[in-house]
Amino acid sequence: MYRLLIIDDEPFIADSLFSLFDNLESMELEVYKAYSARQALHILQKHRVDIVLSDISMPNIDGLELQQILSDKWPAAKVIFLTAYNDFNFAQQAIRHNVVDYILKTEPEQTIIQSIEKTIHLLEEESMNKELLENFKSEKNKYLPLIQKEFIQDLLNGLHMNETNLNQQFKELHLPFSAYSKVIILLLREDNVNSHLPYYIKKENLLKIQKIVHRFIHKKLACYSFQSNSRYQTYIIQHAHDDDYTYLYETLDVIQKSIYNTLNIKISFFLGTDYVSWDQIYAYHQEFMSCFVHEFGAAKYCIVTDKNGMKQPDTLHKNLLKKHREINQRMSMYILDQNQEAFNPLYQQLKSDIIGNMDLPYPIYIQFLHDFSNMLITHLNQYQLYHKSDYNMYIKKLVNLTKMGSLEDIFLTFDEVIEVIFKGFSNNQDDQSDKTIALVNDYIINHLDGDTSLSTISHVLNYNASYLSRLYKTHTGQKLSEYIADLKLNKAKELLRNHQIKINKITKAIGFETPSYFTRFFKNKTGLTPQAYRDKW
C-alpha cells in the first residue's frame, strides 16, 4: 500500500481529488490532503509519504520549494505537479527537480489516475532493487569471505544441520570441507602484542600470520580460519589420510619459527587431539578456548594440546548446557514468530542430543529437560492458554517430568504441548483479528457521513494502515475500500427511495464532498445517475 498526499490551496480541488482516490477501488492507497504547503509539511513530519500530488503555484511556499524539502525528508517520494497554466518554464524546472509528471488541471481525471498508476509502477520497480541485485551478482566474490566466516561462526555457536544440508552449504559457499568427515580444531594466539602499533598495522600482521599458517597447512589439509578476537585465531582443519594429524602436529613448530623470522611475532598454538564431528564442534571449541585462555594464558611461545591441560571433567557438560540454552532461546523466538517450520529441526536436535547422551550426569540430564519444559510453560501462559480444558494436565506433567514413566512419555508430552501452543496461538490470533474487523466495521457504519479514509480509521483504532488493510482483506476476502463502497451504495439506494430527501443531503449523509463525485460514484456502480435511479421508484 502506498501513501498519497494531495496538496492544493483551493479546498474544492483538494477535496475532490481526495474523494476520487480515497474511493478508487482499483488502487490501494492511504490518502492524505492538505490545503497549504504548511499543512503538508506538518503531515510530512509525522508520516512517510510515497507520492505527492501538488499544485505547483501556492502562496508562501510553492510546489518546487516544497519538493526540495520533500527530497530531504523522504528522498524516495515521487512528485506529480498540477497547474492551471501551461507554463513551459515551470515544466522545465519540474523536470530538472526529478518530478515524475506535470499535469494541467484542465485535463480529465483519468489522466491524473494514469499518472498515479505510472508512479506506483515506478515505485514498485525501485522496490525490487534490480540494479542492486545485479551489482550484487557481479560482485558476489567480494561478499563470499564474509558469508563464509559468518556460516563457520554459526556452526561454532551451535547451528545444527543434517549432513546432506551441511554438505550442500559447504559446496555453495566454496568451503573446502565434507560434512561426512570429522575435523580438528587448532587455536593460535599472538603472544607479544605491541599495543602502540596503529590499528591497521595490527590487522595487517594478523592477516600475514593467517597467510603463513595456510601456506603450510594447505599443502596437505583442508583448512578454514578466522579471527576469534584481537589475539586469537581459530582454524578448522579436515584430514584426508590417517597420518595427517602427525603432519599437522610436527609442522606447528616450523610455522612458529617462520612467523617469528618473518614478522618478529611470537605465537602459541593449542591443538585438539581428537577428531570431532560437526555436531560436537561447538562444545569442543568452547572448551579449548577456555583452556587456552585460563590454563595456558601465561605461557608464551608454546605448543600445547588438550591432553596437556588440567581439563575439568564437567566442562563439556557445561558447554552442552550452554548450547541448549541458546537453542531454547532460538526455539522460543520461533514460537513467538509462529515459525513451526524453523522450530521443528531444533526440537529434533534437542531430542537427539538428550537421547544420544544418556550417560550424562543425572543433574545435567534433568536440567536439559526442565529448561525446555519451563520454556513451554512460559508460552502456554503467554498465549493465555490456561482456559484450555487440558491446560492443568499439561502443566502438571511439565512440572513433574521425573514422575513420568519413560523418556518416550516425556517427549510425547512435549509433542502435544508444542501442538497446543502453535494451534492455540493461531486461534488467539484469529479471535483478535475478528475483534479488529468488528471494530473497523462498527466505525465505518457509525461514521458513514464523515471521514472513512483508511488513514483516519487506522489512526482512530491505533493500527498501522498497511497492516489493517492487509488484515481486512485476508480475513474477509474483500478490500476495505470495497466494503466501504458497498455500504455507501446501499445507504444511497435506501435514501434515494425516499423522495423527500434531497440529493445534496444524501451526498453528505454518505460522506461525499460534492454531488458531482457522488453522481460519478453511483453511476459507476449502477449504470444510473442518482436521479435516474430515484425516478424508477
Side-chain angles (χ1 to χ4, degrees):
M1 174 174 290
Y2 293 100
R3 292 177 178 173
L4 169 66
L5 172 60
I6 297 164
I7 313 163
D8 202 299
D9 59 340
E10 295 181 65
F12 172 77
I13 294 175
D15 291 343
S16 298
L17 289 171
F18 178 88
S19 184
L20 170 67
F21 286 104
D22 194 47
N23 292 286
L24 197 64
E25 294 175 25
S26 60
M27 297 183 205
E28 286 200 66
L29 292 168
E30 186 179 343
V31 189
Y32 299 85
K33 64 181 175 182
Y35 300 132
S36 69
R38 294 196 184 281
Q39 280 187 13
L41 290 175
H42 181 71
I43 293 170
L44 292 170
Q45 288 296 325
K46 289 185 173 182
H47 304 284
R48 186 202 80 243
V49 171
D50 303 301
I51 305 168
V52 172
L53 179 61
S54 174
D55 186 2
I56 200 169
S57 180
M58 294 182 290
N60 299 319
I61 303 174
D62 67 22
L64 290 172
E65 291 176 280
L66 182 65
Q67 196 276 336
Q68 286 289 324
I69 297 169
L70 178 69
S71 65
D72 291 334
K73 184 70 180 172
W74 302 109
K78 306 300 178 190
V79 178
I80 300 167
F81 278 139
L82 292 170
T83 181
Y85 309 102
N86 194 355
D87 190 318
F88 181 72
N89 290 330
F90 260 139
Q92 276 193 317
Q93 289 184 65
I95 292 166
R96 285 195 209 103
H97 285 84
N98 199 29
V99 170
V100 174
D101 212 345
Y102 182 88
I103 302 172
L104 291 174
K105 290 183 179 180
T106 54
E107 294 190 60
E109 286 174 355
Q110 192 58 36
T111 302
I112 301 174
I113 292 171
Q114 287 172 353
S115 181
I116 296 291
E117 287 174 338
K118 181 179 75 173
T119 307
I120 289 173
H121 181 71
L122 180 61
L123 286 166
E124 287 177 346
E125 287 228 321
E126 288 182 1
S127 72
M128 291 172 68
N129 295 305
K130 288 182 179 177
E131 186 179 346
L132 182 69
L133 291 175
E134 287 301 319
N135 289 340
F136 188 86
K137 279 182 185 177
S138 64
E139 297 177 352
K140 187 177 178 181
N141 290 337
K142 284 185 183 178
Y143 306 108
L144 187 60
L146 177 62
I147 299 170
Q148 288 175 332
K149 179 182 177 181
E150 287 186 356
F151 181 68
I152 293 294
Q153 285 180 321
D154 283 345
L155 291 174
L156 291 171
N157 287 328
L159 174 66
H160 174 78
M161 302 179 80
N162 64 48
E163 288 180 340
T164 303
N165 289 341
L166 183 59
N167 219 45
Q168 183 63 31
Q169 288 299 320
F170 287 151
K171 287 179 181 177
E172 290 178 0
L173 294 175
H174 302 288
L175 287 164
F177 297 125
S178 165
Y180 307 103
S181 299
K182 294 184 176 184
V183 293
I184 296 170
I185 299 170
L186 173 69
L187 304 178
L188 179 151
R189 181 183 64 218
E190 185 180 353
D191 290 328
N192 57 329
V193 178
N194 184 346
S195 59
H196 300 294
L197 284 175
Y199 179 81
Y200 77 93
I201 296 292
K202 291 179 188 176
K203 288 298 178 184
E204 273 188 1
N205 286 340
L206 292 170
L207 290 171
K208 288 173 183 175
I209 288 170
Q210 278 182 291
K211 288 281 188 186
I212 293 171
V213 174
H214 277 272
R215 185 168 67 84
F216 284 95
I217 292 178
H218 270 312
K219 290 178 180 178
K220 288 197 70 175
L221 304 165
C223 175
Y224 182 84
S225 65
F226 64 91
Q227 196 70 30
S228 305
N229 56 43
S230 59
R231 292 180 62 200
Y232 290 85
Q233 296 176 1
T234 295
Y235 292 78
I236 309 297
I237 300 166
Q238 199 163 64
H239 73 294
H241 306 288
D242 292 338
D243 63 346
D244 285 343
Y245 183 86
T246 302
Y247 168 81
L248 176 61
Y249 183 76
E250 294 296 330
T251 304
L252 293 182
D253 64 330
V254 179
I255 297 172
Q256 266 188 333
K257 290 172 187 173
S258 178
I259 290 171
Y260 181 73
N261 291 337
T262 306
L263 303 173
N264 197 29
I265 294 174
K266 291 185 176 181
I267 63 161
S268 292
F269 284 115
F270 185 103
L271 179 64
T273 54
D274 295 320
Y275 290 102
V276 298
S277 68
W278 291 100
D279 279 345
Q280 297 171 305
I281 196 171
Y282 166 83
Y284 275 89
H285 182 255
Q286 294 284 321
E287 180 198 11
F288 290 174
M289 186 63 79
S290 176
C291 185
F292 200 15
V293 171
H294 298 296
E295 297 187 28
F296 297 100
K300 305 292 181 187
Y301 206 51
C302 63
I303 299 172
V304 293
T305 70
D306 55 320
K307 302 299 184 189
N308 303 128
M310 302 297 291
K311 188 164 66 171
Q312 298 175 2
D314 64 341
T315 304
L316 277 175
H317 301 151
K318 288 179 180 177
N319 285 331
L320 204 53
L321 264 177
K322 182 181 176 185
K323 171 188 175 183
H324 277 283
R325 280 174 182 153
E326 290 172 356
I327 290 174
N328 279 346
Q329 287 176 356
R330 286 163 61 195
M331 283 194 283
S332 182
M333 290 301 298
Y334 289 139
I335 289 175
L336 289 172
D337 293 340
Q338 277 297 283
N339 188 348
Q340 193 166 5
E341 187 179 352
F343 175 93
N344 286 340
L346 291 177
Y347 176 50
Q348 293 305 320
Q349 181 184 346
L350 177 79
K351 277 186 178 181
S352 299
D353 284 350
I354 291 175
I355 294 169
N357 287 280
M358 297 296 287
D359 58 341
L360 283 170
Y362 185 72
I364 302 293
Y365 170 77
I366 291 299
Q367 186 70 56
F368 275 167
L369 296 173
H370 276 294
D371 281 351
F372 186 70
S373 175
N374 288 337
M375 187 264 287
L376 294 180
I377 291 171
T378 298
H379 287 290
L380 277 172
N381 291 330
Q382 187 171 11
Y383 298 139
Q384 300 178 7
L385 300 178
Y386 36 74
H387 62 280
K388 300 278 184 186
S389 58
D390 44 11
Y391 168 81
N392 288 332
M393 176 193 72
Y394 286 132
I395 290 294
K396 192 173 181 179
K397 285 185 176 183
L398 291 172
V399 171
N400 299 289
L401 293 176
T402 54
K403 293 182 181 178
M404 289 194 201
S406 66
L407 187 60
E408 184 180 355
D409 291 336
I410 290 174
F411 279 119
L412 279 175
T413 298
F414 286 166
D415 292 345
E416 291 172 12
V417 173
I418 288 164
E419 196 67 23
V420 166
I421 287 172
F422 278 104
K423 282 186 177 177
F425 179 84
S426 178
N427 292 338
N428 281 359
Q429 288 287 85
D430 288 341
D431 291 344
Q432 185 59 46
S433 297
D434 290 343
K435 289 177 184 176
T436 303
I437 300 301
L439 286 172
V440 171
N441 290 345
D442 286 347
Y443 179 86
I444 294 166
I445 291 168
N446 293 323
H447 296 84
L448 202 60
D449 60 344
D451 185 355
T452 55
S453 64
L454 176 60
S455 56
T456 297
I457 296 169
S458 59
H459 175 72
V460 170
L461 299 182
N462 201 26
Y463 278 92
N464 174 274
S466 298
Y467 168 77
L468 190 61
S469 176
R470 287 196 304 272
L471 179 74
Y472 199 93
K473 177 72 183 295
T474 301
H475 284 265
T476 67
Q478 184 181 34
K479 290 180 181 178
L480 183 55
S481 58
E482 292 171 348
Y483 173 73
I484 295 169
D486 288 346
L487 276 184
K488 289 188 174 186
L489 180 63
N490 292 332
K491 185 68 174 177
K493 287 178 177 178
E494 177 191 333
L495 295 174
L496 285 167
R497 288 195 287 269
N498 183 341
H499 289 247
Q500 303 303 314
I501 305 173
K502 292 182 179 180
I503 289 179
N504 277 352
K505 285 190 176 180
I506 296 174
T507 297
K508 291 180 180 178
I510 58 173
F512 281 96
E513 300 278 355
T514 63
S516 61
Y517 269 96
F518 168 51
T519 299
R520 187 180 294 107
F521 163 79
F522 195 88
K523 188 173 184 181
N524 182 51
K525 289 288 185 181
T526 65
L528 298 171
T529 65
Q531 187 60 52
Y533 179 84
R534 166 170 278 178
D535 291 342
K536 291 179 66 177
W537 292 84

